[in-house]
Amino acid sequence: MLVMFVAVTLASVLQELVPPVSPFSVKAPWLLAVCVYYAVRREWMWSVAGAVWCGVMQDGLGGIPYGVSLFVFCLIVCVCVFFVRKQMPDNTVTCMIVSVAGGVIVETSQYVMLLVSGEYVALPSIYLLGRVMVFVALCLPVAGVVAGVVRLMDVVSGNAGFENENETFGWNAC
Amino acid sequence: MKTRRLIIRATVAVGVVLSLMWFYHVLRSNMDVLTRDATAPYGRFVLSVRSFFVDASDLVRGVTRMRTEHASLSAEVADLRVRQLFLEELQLEIARLRHALDLGYAPPDFVCAEVVSRGGASGWWKTIRINKGTKHGVHRNRAVLNTRGLVGRVVSTSAETSDVLLLTDLNSKLSCVIEGVGPGTRGILSGSGVSGSEDSLALLHMVEPMSLAYLEKDLKIEKGARILTSGLGGLFPAGLPVGEVVDARTDATGLFQRARVAPYVDFASLDRVFVLVTRGRAGIEEVVR
């Protein structure tokens, strides 16, 4: 719980304070990366808790219509628990791949909800595409860094450990 | 057995999500304030660390340069103080006259704020977050300026922080006039002017000119003409400088002109802004007394 608190708080602060990337004014997805880490590499209860916490922070800090990020983050958890964990290895690369797919869904759903709620003007499709591309490009390194750091914190604090020599940092190791 | 367990887990997860969404609905008005105030101390900490390093780097760069700067700033402060004396006298006179005519007059008052972050957490809006909120008298729809001109307006507040929508945002709309051109110069200024008909490559530019629409078709608009707020709508006072005309052409409908406007404010390097707060009725009476 403490590790999750530290991870979500740090991610919220970074999400808030790191300036957006030009030219499409895209913010690095720190909270999404934390959510994906818990979805891919920890037990399902922690995954749901992480998704809810990150979703609340993302919607609250970002001015997004309430429930959008929460819903998408929980959807990511469901997909990971029921499909990804059975098909893909449990490691940082998987986190990066899932965060890319999640990034596309997050960005698109946020735009659709903002448009539907009348809080945003309709964008040219090329602008939206460019925004999604930049967002996806940011997802890869951010998810890698976050997955590595939070895993390290989990291992150091005893929440997770080496499962065996071949498979390091298993989500169900403990 | 395993499938059954999975179904139970999925049901529990869906139940949790649905009940949280209901809570979201209930707490809608307070959630953003809660999350923002929760992260405000970290923002303040980062701001103080940044100020410390900026001060330290200034010190390292040279005492001589700072001394010269100090001397010139002292002279400027003295000059501004003298000007302020005259302005205060004029303000009093305006207040007295408007009070006599029962027109009401709220003298302008400013709250200085520092920029904590940019773009919010989602990056959808071109916003800045400042370190002053309702506790300091900042409320929604107040004009935000810096020494060069209008920056934007306050769109949301919490006790400790406020979000300012920049003029360059796509969703920003503001009634403006062109200075010294004559009647019919009023138009709607919007950020960046993105539309399907325009060159999409322009979106890649870091500084995008704003767009002043619905100007009279026959109006002669010169390059470099100043754009000021019109005061219509009552949110902003009239006469606040916004930018200058880059060029103008007839719009797609052929009924109006559309001018591209370069902002006076350098939005990329905003670090300190002023929020225009009115003192209200008590302030008016205080000035009149």
Side-chain angles (χ1 to χ4, degrees):
Chain A
M1 194 69 180
L2 187 65
V3 170
M4 187 185 279
F5 174 77
V6 172
V8 174
T9 307
L10 273 178
S12 304
V13 173
L14 287 169
Q15 184 96 37
E16 180 76 24
L17 298 181
V18 174
V21 174
S22 291
F24 295 103
S25 182
V26 179
K27 280 274 186 168
W30 299 98
L31 283 165
L32 171 69
V34 172
C35 166
V36 167
Y37 166 78
Y38 279 98
V40 173
R41 308 206 65 181
R42 291 298 305 274
E43 298 83 350
W44 74 273
M45 281 185 303
W46 292 114
S47 306
V48 173
V52 169
W53 202 342
C54 290
V56 168
M57 295 307 285
Q58 176 83 47
D59 286 342
L61 291 171
I64 307 295
Y66 283 108
V68 178
S69 305
L70 176 74
F71 177 76
V72 175
F73 286 2
C74 289
L75 189 72
I76 291 170
V77 168
C78 287
V79 171
C80 287
V81 170
F82 293 115
F83 301 105
V84 175
R85 289 183 183 185
K86 290 170 185 167
Q87 305 294 330
M88 298 176 77
D90 164 28
N91 56 28
T92 304
V93 177
T94 306
C95 287
M96 291 162 80
I97 293 167
V98 171
S99 76
V100 166
V104 175
I105 302 169
V106 166
E107 201 67 357
T108 315
S109 58
Q110 283 183 355
Y111 173 65
V112 169
M113 285 309 293
L114 285 170
L115 202 63
V116 168
S117 63
E119 291 180 41
Y120 210 83
V121 293
L123 292 172
S125 49
I126 190 166
Y127 185 93
L128 190 62
L129 188 68
R131 221 187 123 86
V132 172
M133 297 288 277
V134 175
F135 192 78
V136 163
L138 285 172
C139 279
L140 282 170
V142 171
V145 169
V146 169
V149 171
V150 183
R151 190 65 186 178
L152 186 69
M153 289 198 294
D154 266 341
V155 171
V156 169
S157 61
N159 292 337
F162 294 101
E163 196 171 37
N164 56 50
E165 281 183 352
N166 298 324
E167 192 187 342
T168 54
F169 297 154
W171 68 272
N172 53 356
C174 52
Chain B
M1 192 67 180
K2 205 175 175 185
T3 320
R4 200 177 150 195
R5 227 186 309 166
L6 273 176
I7 290 169
I8 292 169
R9 284 176 183 178
T11 315
V12 170
V14 169
V16 168
V17 170
L18 286 177
S19 38
L20 271 161
M21 284 178 93
W22 180 77
F23 272 119
Y24 258 19
H25 181 69
V26 174
L27 298 172
R28 188 184 171 108
S29 57
N30 296 322
M31 281 306 291
D32 61 338
V33 174
L34 283 172
T35 49
R36 277 167 50 177
D37 280 346
T39 53
Y42 304 105
R44 277 202 301 272
F45 172 71
V46 171
L47 200 65
S48 58
V49 171
R50 195 174 70 190
S51 307
F52 173 77
F53 280 109
V54 167
D55 292 347
S57 71
D58 277 349
L59 200 67
V60 170
R61 267 187 228 158
V63 178
T64 320
R65 188 182 60 80
M66 282 174 72
R67 200 174 286 166
T68 321
E69 204 172 290
H70 180 260
S72 82
L73 285 173
S74 301
E76 199 177 326
V77 166
D79 178 54
L80 288 171
R81 276 192 182 144
V82 173
R83 284 169 193 271
Q84 196 188 0
L85 284 176
F86 286 104
L87 286 174
E88 275 175 1
E89 196 57 43
L90 280 172
Q91 197 177 47
L92 277 171
E93 195 176 334
I94 291 168
R96 267 189 229 111
L97 290 171
R98 287 188 73 99
H99 187 71
L101 293 169
D102 204 22
L103 290 173
Y105 175 69
D109 199 6
F110 298 95
V111 170
C112 181
E114 283 186 277
V115 177
V116 180
S117 68
R118 293 158 199 277
S122 63
W124 282 106
W125 291 274
K126 283 185 180 166
T127 55
I128 52 171
R129 184 158 293 168
I130 55 174
N131 65 344
K132 295 286 163 69
T134 48
K135 214 167 81 177
H136 311 93
V138 177
H139 296 285
R140 276 191 72 187
N141 289 325
R142 296 287 191 260
V144 179
L145 308 103
N146 75 354
T147 49
R148 287 163 176 256
L150 189 65
V151 171
R153 70 184 162 93
V154 177
V155 284
S156 65
T157 54
S158 67
E160 301 280 346
T161 62
S162 301
D163 279 354
V164 179
L165 186 72
L166 301 180
L167 285 181
T168 49
D169 187 86
L170 297 171
N171 301 279
S172 166
K173 301 274 185 275
L174 175 67
S175 172
C176 287
V177 291
I178 303 176
E179 190 182 43
V181 178
T185 64
R186 202 169 282 141
I188 303 293
L189 186 85
S190 53
S192 303
V194 176
S195 72
S197 62
E198 289 189 21
D199 183 9
S200 298
L201 283 177
L203 297 171
L204 297 174
H205 292 192
M206 280 186 73
V207 179
E208 301 143 17
M210 298 178 291
S211 166
L212 187 62
Y214 306 113
L215 294 164
E216 268 186 19
K217 191 183 168 186
D218 302 324
L219 205 66
K220 196 180 171 198
I221 302 167
E222 287 180 8
K223 188 183 172 186
R226 289 181 80 206
I227 308 292
L228 310 172
T229 53
S230 70
L232 278 182
L235 286 184
F236 295 164
L240 297 177
V242 173
E244 60 184 37
V245 173
V246 177
D247 58 24
R249 63 184 175 193
T250 311
D251 69 7
T253 64
L255 298 172
F256 299 100
Q257 280 192 89
R258 179 184 285 262
R260 294 201 304 157
V261 177
Y264 283 137
V265 175
D266 180 9
F267 291 97
S269 61
L270 281 174
D271 54 356
R272 189 168 288 123
V273 293
F274 301 91
V275 184
L276 186 60
V277 291
T278 44
R279 288 179 189 164
R281 194 72 208 165
I284 299 168
E285 275 153 17
E286 181 193 322
V287 169
V288 170
R289 270 204 305 277

